[in-house]
Amino acid sequence: MWNIGWSLTGDNEEQGQILLDEDSGGLCSLSTMQRIYGFAACLIAGLACMLLSMIIFAKPIKFAVLFTFGNLLAVGSTAFLLGPAQQLGMMFDRVRVFATAIYLGCVVMALICALLIHSKVLTIIAIIIEIGALIWYSLSYIPFARRMVSELMIRLCDTEL
């Protein structure tokens, strides 16, 4: 994923093309433009689902299903760029395995609360936790972002004067 950044700085132009030119293990025979279109379509559909879910916020169960589906579409959209195998490899990398597990657990918890338990209160709590887990998971792709947010939260919540 960071190969594009290296390419933009001019440090290593050959590695910058690896992101989209790589065959992803023979599982994906899409061209570069098809991958970009697939990524954009999946991301836009995911964001649209998340925004549309805000309209039905008064019905937490429907909201949770639509919002969670939008989340999964948005996160899964990068599989078009990287390929599914590399995407899963990055998700379960040593650096972000806990963030991924917590995020996927929250997705499952939100769907269970909405579809099986039918509890509006638990569904809203699960969605709030899911949003926090998605933010934490997303920060794992930015170097030092989680450490910076952790230190900021410690400073903001510190009670010592």
Side-chain angles (χ1 to χ4, degrees):
M1 183 171 170
W2 302 110
N3 292 335
I4 287 179
W6 291 333
S7 168
L8 294 175
T9 60
D11 292 337
N12 196 344
E13 291 184 18
E14 303 89 40
Q15 285 188 328
Q17 296 301 319
I18 289 175
L19 179 66
L20 295 176
D21 291 342
E22 200 169 284
D23 186 30
S24 73
L27 295 175
C28 186
S29 62
L30 299 175
S31 71
T32 302
M33 283 312 289
Q34 289 172 330
R35 287 181 181 198
I36 292 173
Y37 288 146
F39 164 74
C42 202
L43 181 65
I44 289 170
L47 293 175
C49 284
M50 286 189 278
L51 289 175
L52 288 174
S53 70
M54 299 300 169
I55 294 172
I56 57 172
F57 185 74
K59 299 179 181 182
I61 294 170
K62 291 180 182 179
F63 165 76
V65 172
L66 192 57
F67 185 81
T68 300
F69 181 66
N71 261 337
L72 292 175
L73 274 174
V75 169
S77 67
T78 55
F80 278 101
L81 295 178
L82 303 172
Q86 189 174 357
Q87 171 73 18
L88 287 174
M90 288 178 67
M91 286 177 73
F92 291 101
D93 187 34
R94 183 183 61 80
V95 174
R96 64 185 63 88
V97 69
F98 293 117
T100 301
I102 291 170
Y103 170 69
L104 293 176
C106 290
V107 167
V108 169
M109 184 176 66
L111 289 176
I112 287 174
C113 289
L115 299 175
L116 296 178
I117 299 175
H118 297 291
S119 171
K120 292 179 180 181
V121 174
L122 289 177
T123 301
I124 294 296
I125 292 170
I127 288 295
I128 291 170
I129 295 170
E130 180 181 333
I131 292 169
L134 178 63
I135 291 169
W136 192 253
Y137 168 78
S138 299
L139 288 175
S140 73
Y141 284 95
I142 303 169
F144 303 108
R146 292 191 297 183
R147 181 181 301 163
M148 184 175 59
V149 169
S150 295
E151 290 176 5
L152 179 66
M153 292 306 293
I154 289 171
R155 286 183 185 168
L156 289 177
C157 298
D158 193 7
T159 58
E160 295 180 10
L161 294 176

